[in-house]
Amino acid sequence: MTVRAPQVASLELVPTRGGPFGIYVHVPFCATRCGYCDFNTYTPGELGGATPAGWLEAMRIELALAARQLPALSVDTVFVGGGTPSLLGGDGLAAVLDAVRAEFALARDAEVTTEANPESTSPEFFATIRAAGFSRVSLGMQSVAPTVLRVLDRVHSPGRALDAAREALAAGFEHVNIDLIYGTPGETDDDLCRSVTAALDAGIDHLSAYSLVVEDGTALARRVRRGELPAPDDDVLARRYELLDRWLVAAGLDWYEVSNWSRPGAECRHNLGYWNGGQWWGAGPGAHGFIGSVRWWNVKHPNAYAQALTESTLPIADFETLDSRDRHVEDVLLQLRLRSGLPTALLDAAERHRAESAVAEGLLSRAGERLVLTDRGRLLADGIVRDLLSD
């Protein structure tokens, strides 16, 4: 059952004990807007006077209010995303982590991640955030092909992400991830091969790869609608995924989620918390959180976000309470995407019967008491979930 109440000032949250707990911090600032991006981000001309300093102060207040709601919860993972967190600079990101530590106790082995745009990083930046306590960095490279970067409206040079990865490793980072996008109009198989090879040569231990999605309201969607660019081709996307997987497995990185590959032990624990039904507090404009059975999301614009917090009220735009059916759908949707698979015990009799059909079709395989996507099944994961859950 979904319950909605716009501009909610507070929530009654009852945490589930025993599972992982993370904190996500959303940094809403970007220097420019990429043509494919529909995230809650703002370029300087869209901020209406909002500043990183004002955002940081508001975020500190939100974390203080969160700590009152969630006493004695230890934080297993912290993830700073955006937007472009690296625009805050090394000292700014250190201040973000200090704000988390001021209100919450971090587990001794807490994983602390930030996303970064290669153009706003440097050896000094990585040294500063590593000394502050960050242990993982995720770099948005997307491609090394200049033609692909132009279509995506990416402003960094093709080689900068690779230099940034090496700088992060030299600064002592335990884990470095690179993000790729495949299927951009004009991209070739060779473009993708060069991107993967370059990322691996940089020494990373984790790679995330996403097929290009044309989101409504983006500059890319407008170009496709006007006929300036073709829409991504599903057959091309499937072939590129298969090529990616083949190259990465040969290099020692195996898939652990449909869009993520890593060396053993380099999986992103924060994201695994999402996929395994863990709990997290989302701080920042537009951030989502999930505690117990309640999911909520903050107001989007930094000014509205800061205004709510100057009145010491949580900046919640809306929320929903998940019932047992909602949780079941999410468990199937998310856990089936993992290499660890979906426990058959989560399925009812009709769903198990439909799962047997998927096994017979070569889309799922059995691994003990779990169901795991086959190589072909990974290409059709969303459809398999729909079939399993169909009434």
Side-chain angles (χ1 to χ4, degrees):
M1 178 180 65
T2 298
V3 178
R4 301 200 178 277
Q7 300 301 324
V8 180
S10 64
L11 289 177
E12 292 296 327
L13 301 175
V14 181
T16 302
R17 298 292 174 176
F21 173 62
I23 290 179
Y24 171 77
V25 177
H26 187 72
V27 180
F29 308 109
C30 277
T32 60
R33 184 176 300 281
C34 299
Y36 60 91
C37 178
D38 71 339
F39 294 165
N40 186 47
T41 63
Y42 301 85
T43 59
E46 300 167 330
L47 285 169
T51 64
W55 164 85
L56 179 59
E57 182 54 35
M59 192 268 298
R60 286 192 179 108
I61 297 170
E62 184 183 1
L63 289 174
L65 294 173
R68 295 179 199 172
Q69 292 266 342
L70 306 171
L73 271 186
S74 177
V75 177
D76 299 292
T77 63
V78 177
F79 195 106
V80 185
T84 310
S86 49
L87 284 179
L88 300 176
D91 290 339
L93 279 172
V96 170
L97 187 53
D98 285 344
V100 174
R101 288 196 184 106
E103 304 297 341
F104 289 92
L106 269 62
R108 181 180 301 177
D109 64 342
E111 174 192 86
V112 183
T113 305
T114 187
E115 295 177 340
N117 184 310
E119 290 299 311
S120 51
T121 64
S122 65
E124 294 76 20
F125 167 85
F126 290 116
T128 298
I129 63 172
R130 183 69 188 98
F134 284 84
S135 58
R136 185 182 195 98
V137 64
S138 182
L139 297 163
M141 182 172 86
Q142 317 318 342
S143 177
V144 297
T147 54
V148 173
L149 294 176
R150 281 196 295 271
V151 172
L152 296 175
D153 293 326
R154 296 289 293 183
V155 297
H156 64 79
S157 59
R160 175 56 204 151
L162 307 171
D163 291 339
R166 296 185 182 98
E167 290 164 5
L169 291 167
F173 271 86
E174 300 166 30
H175 303 296
V176 177
N177 173 64
I178 275 180
D179 282 350
L180 295 182
I181 289 178
Y182 61 93
T184 300
E187 180 193 59
T188 66
D189 290 352
D190 185 60
D191 289 334
L192 183 61
C193 180
R194 288 189 293 110
S195 297
V196 173
T197 300
L200 293 170
D201 287 348
I204 63 165
D205 61 0
H206 190 289
L207 188 140
S208 304
Y210 306 100
S211 62
L212 180 67
V213 176
V214 180
E215 301 285 2
D216 289 342
T218 62
L220 180 63
R222 292 190 288 273
R223 295 182 68 188
V224 170
R225 188 169 58 248
R226 291 193 298 261
E228 297 173 13
L229 293 171
D233 182 280
D234 288 343
D235 291 335
V236 171
L237 294 176
R239 185 177 75 250
R240 297 267 162 78
Y241 182 90
E242 291 172 332
L243 289 172
L244 267 165
D245 186 59
R246 184 188 313 157
W247 295 328
L248 291 170
V249 169
L253 280 73
D254 214 342
W255 77 283
Y256 70 97
E257 192 273 342
V258 168
S259 298
N260 289 273
W261 292 257
S262 77
R263 298 194 187 280
E267 300 85 354
C268 179
R269 288 166 46 202
H270 186 85
N271 287 341
L272 281 170
Y274 295 150
W275 297 320
N276 282 310
Q279 302 175 107
W280 72 95
W281 189 281
H288 289 224
F290 179 66
I291 299 291
S293 60
V294 178
R295 177 183 291 114
W296 72 94
W297 45 98
N298 287 344
V299 296
K300 287 189 171 183
H301 198 279
N303 282 336
Y305 170 77
Q307 180 60 41
L309 286 159
T310 59
E311 300 167 3
S312 294
T313 59
L314 288 172
I316 297 167
D318 213 341
F319 77 98
E320 59 185 358
T321 300
L322 305 187
D323 62 17
S324 58
R325 177 60 183 173
D326 296 328
R327 292 301 305 269
H328 176 70
V329 169
E330 293 201 354
D331 286 343
V332 173
L333 173 67
L334 296 173
Q335 292 189 42
L336 195 64
R337 293 180 63 86
L338 296 172
R339 189 183 184 102
S340 56
L342 175 70
T344 55
L346 289 181
L347 302 178
D348 63 27
E351 290 165 346
R352 285 196 293 273
H353 179 73
R354 290 190 285 270
E356 289 301 321
S357 297
V359 171
E361 294 171 19
L363 302 175
L364 294 175
S365 63
R366 296 186 192 86
E369 297 301 314
R370 291 177 176 265
L371 296 165
V372 180
L373 292 167
T374 62
D375 290 347
R376 188 161 73 91
R378 276 189 277 162
L379 299 173
L380 303 168
D382 291 343
I384 295 169
V385 169
R386 285 194 298 271
D387 289 344
L388 287 179
L389 295 172
S390 63
D391 295 325

